[in-house]
Amino acid sequence: MDSFDELAADVISCRACPRLVAWREEVAETKRAAYRDWTYWGRPVPGFGDSEARIVVVGLAPAAHGANRTGRMFTGDRSGDFLYASLHRVGLANQPESTDRDDGLVLRDVYITAPVRCAPPQNKPTPAERDACRPFLMRELALLSRARVFVALGAIGYGAVAAELGVKPRPKFAHGLEAAAPEGRMVVCSYHVSQQNTFTGRLTSDMLDDVFARSLELADAT
């Protein structure tokens, strides 16, 4: 039987995509000036959260100086600050910030993952790189046997999780979209928590809080 520990070990050791390997390691070596004293993670990033979660958050990929630095999804950057603050407000996280893997953050009833596990240049993985990572997401979703609601952050996350869950027909991505999947599961869409969206007000704190509050309602109803 597969386990979360076995899956994490396989993710961390993966070197399947030469472009991503070269980029993540270059970033880890050159660093950003603000983090020059950090030892960057510089490897693929496994999922994180409650293994018994009913809610699964699906993003895009690790940020070059966020998760690629800290080794934990959405940790150490502005996107993560926005995400974890919302999870805390709705009762799914024990604290509103996430700075490093040892900061004491605990997620309750939620698990966070992504279809791509290495930081891609310009945050744009290729279709082939997404395909290479797909078995990790498949294994993860199989392990998350209690998951009922899947929060897709952005169109790529939506496409990945909708394909794995068998959403047919697949409605066009939109913030707040709810798409039914087989076995009573649901996909709920949100704009990604990128700075491009949060700094411009395209995605506000209230909008994201509403997505998670609705996800809790749906999880309780199934």
Side-chain angles (χ1 to χ4, degrees):
M1 293 290 289
D2 208 356
S3 72
F4 283 99
D5 287 343
E6 289 170 336
L7 174 57
D10 289 345
V11 168
I12 292 167
S13 64
C14 183
R15 300 182 66 85
C17 301
R19 187 182 78 114
L20 297 188
V21 171
W23 173 250
R24 78 191 191 209
E25 293 179 356
E26 177 186 344
V27 170
E29 179 66 26
T30 59
K31 305 182 182 181
R32 178 175 283 173
Y35 306 124
R36 61 182 177 274
D37 295 330
W38 273 79
T39 299
Y40 273 53
W41 175 258
R43 289 173 281 173
V45 181
F48 163 68
D50 184 350
S51 62
E52 298 295 317
R54 295 179 302 158
I55 299 171
V56 178
V57 177
V58 184
L60 169 57
H65 301 281
N68 188 57
R69 172 173 60 89
T70 64
R72 191 170 71 189
M73 290 286 183
F74 284 106
T75 297
D77 60 24
R78 296 288 182 85
S79 297
D81 292 344
F82 197 90
L83 173 63
Y84 288 118
S86 180
L87 291 174
H88 180 255
R89 286 191 297 270
V90 300
L92 294 171
N94 69 325
Q95 61 190 43
E97 67 279 330
S98 177
T99 57
D100 62 76
R101 283 178 295 151
D102 300 315
D103 61 9
L105 176 66
V106 177
L107 301 183
R108 308 185 184 104
D109 209 16
V110 64
Y111 186 94
I112 298 176
T113 187
V116 177
R117 306 309 173 104
C118 292
Q122 293 152 348
N123 292 321
K124 293 180 180 179
T126 67
E129 288 162 352
R130 294 200 301 267
D131 289 346
C133 256
R134 184 181 177 187
F136 294 140
L137 183 61
M138 293 172 63
R139 289 168 61 186
E140 209 160 39
L141 296 185
L143 287 167
L144 292 163
S145 58
R146 296 191 69 240
R148 310 307 300 159
V149 181
F150 300 79
V151 178
L153 300 179
I156 291 179
Y158 171 55
V161 74
E164 295 308 326
L165 297 181
V167 175
K168 294 180 181 178
R170 187 187 306 175
K172 183 178 178 180
F173 173 84
H175 181 84
L177 172 72
E178 297 179 12
E183 301 178 14
R185 297 179 290 185
M186 291 290 296
V187 179
V188 180
C189 293
S190 170
Y191 293 135
H192 196 278
V193 291
S194 66
Q195 292 183 54
Q196 181 179 357
N197 288 333
T198 60
F199 280 18
T200 61
R202 188 183 192 211
L203 178 65
T204 67
S205 297
D206 287 345
M207 289 168 66
L208 189 58
D209 290 357
D210 288 346
V211 165
F212 285 124
R214 176 58 176 160
S215 297
L216 278 167
E217 289 178 1
L218 291 169
D220 289 339
T222 57

